[in-house]
Amino acid sequence: MSENESKSLTVREGTVPAMSEPATGQYADMEQLDIQSMFDQLLKQANHAAHEAEAHLQVEEKSNSVAELQGFCAGIRNFKSAANKAGFIVPPALFDTANRMEPWVQQIDNSEDGVDTECNLALDVLNEFSRIIDSLTASDSYTALEETIQSEIKAKKDFLYSEAKAGRDLFWVRGWHRGFTWVKKQIKELHYWKSIKEQQAEKRAKEKASELPFGDDVA
């Protein structure tokens, strides 16, 4: 294996990929590997959410809640199919929710300050992930996927207005929408937490600077 090939650009469980060379020539292809790896991990996190919904389905008794959970799982499956058609590589293994990882942004119950998510990734990791995600969302494949997302959402709205016959349909579509847009929301949350942690780092830097001795206190 060459020195270049030995530099892993695959994101693994929150590890920052090595990318110090410009994305030209051979490294342009490696940048694509970076993007695909990021997308794979977002899908694994979506699988985690779908797996939890599947577990909840085993004990849920309310028909509307069952419909919403079923819609959520269907939405995530539909998103993977749409991504595959848009140009992303979604191997059969990623259609199985057993192939999953915990989301980088977690839902929390904290109604006191209105925060409903938390992210334990360090700022330097978020910075690198954001760089890769920006490349991902700027890609032709993601542009095509975004068009499909909007088209599918419109189709579901049209279904509700013209064909839906019961309240259960509304709950199913609501769950489907959450599942189909889960990855898109996760990307938005990662950018949000990057901004929050940048503000926190800036605040800490200012506090530290204010504690430095000046004037007559300087030795």
Side-chain angles (χ1 to χ4, degrees), residues 49-179:
H51 177 75
E52 289 189 332
E54 290 169 347
H56 195 177
L57 270 171
Q58 302 304 312
V59 297
E60 183 57 61
E61 297 179 352
K62 297 179 180 178
S63 61
N64 287 340
S65 296
V66 168
E68 187 165 354
L69 288 166
Q70 290 175 335
F72 179 79
C73 294
I76 288 180
R77 288 195 300 271
N78 291 166
F79 176 82
K80 296 173 193 174
S81 297
N84 219 4
K85 292 178 181 178
F88 289 101
I89 300 172
V90 184
L94 283 178
F95 278 86
D96 186 348
T97 58
N99 193 356
R100 61 186 183 271
M101 62 182 284
E102 288 193 5
W104 293 321
V105 178
Q106 298 274 0
Q107 297 289 322
I108 58 173
D109 182 12
N110 190 352
S111 57
E112 292 183 1
D113 58 11
V115 176
D116 61 355
T117 61
E118 64 179 359
C119 177
N120 294 324
L121 295 179
L123 179 57
D124 60 341
V125 176
L126 280 169
N127 284 334
E128 184 64 7
F129 283 7
S130 292
R131 180 189 66 78
I132 301 171
I133 287 173
D134 286 345
S135 296
L136 187 158
T137 55
S139 68
D140 291 340
S141 294
Y142 194 85
T143 298
L145 177 57
E146 183 68 25
E147 291 174 355
T148 299
I149 289 174
Q150 297 306 319
S151 176
E152 289 293 326
I153 289 175
K154 183 180 182 301
K156 289 296 185 292
K157 287 181 178 179
D158 291 344
F159 164 77
L160 286 178
Y161 290 134
S162 62
E163 299 181 38
K165 298 179 180 180
R168 188 180 187 281
D169 291 335
L170 173 61
F171 283 92
W172 190 95
V173 171
R174 185 165 71 178
W176 176 90
H177 182 270
R178 286 196 302 110

Side-chain angles (χ1 to χ4, degrees), residues 192-209:
Y192 166 78
W193 277 103
K194 175 178 176 288
S195 176
I196 290 295
K197 297 206 173 192
E198 284 174 341
Q199 294 173 25
Q200 292 172 344
E202 183 179 355
K203 181 180 179 180
R204 288 193 299 269
K206 288 181 178 179
E207 290 174 347
K208 185 176 181 179

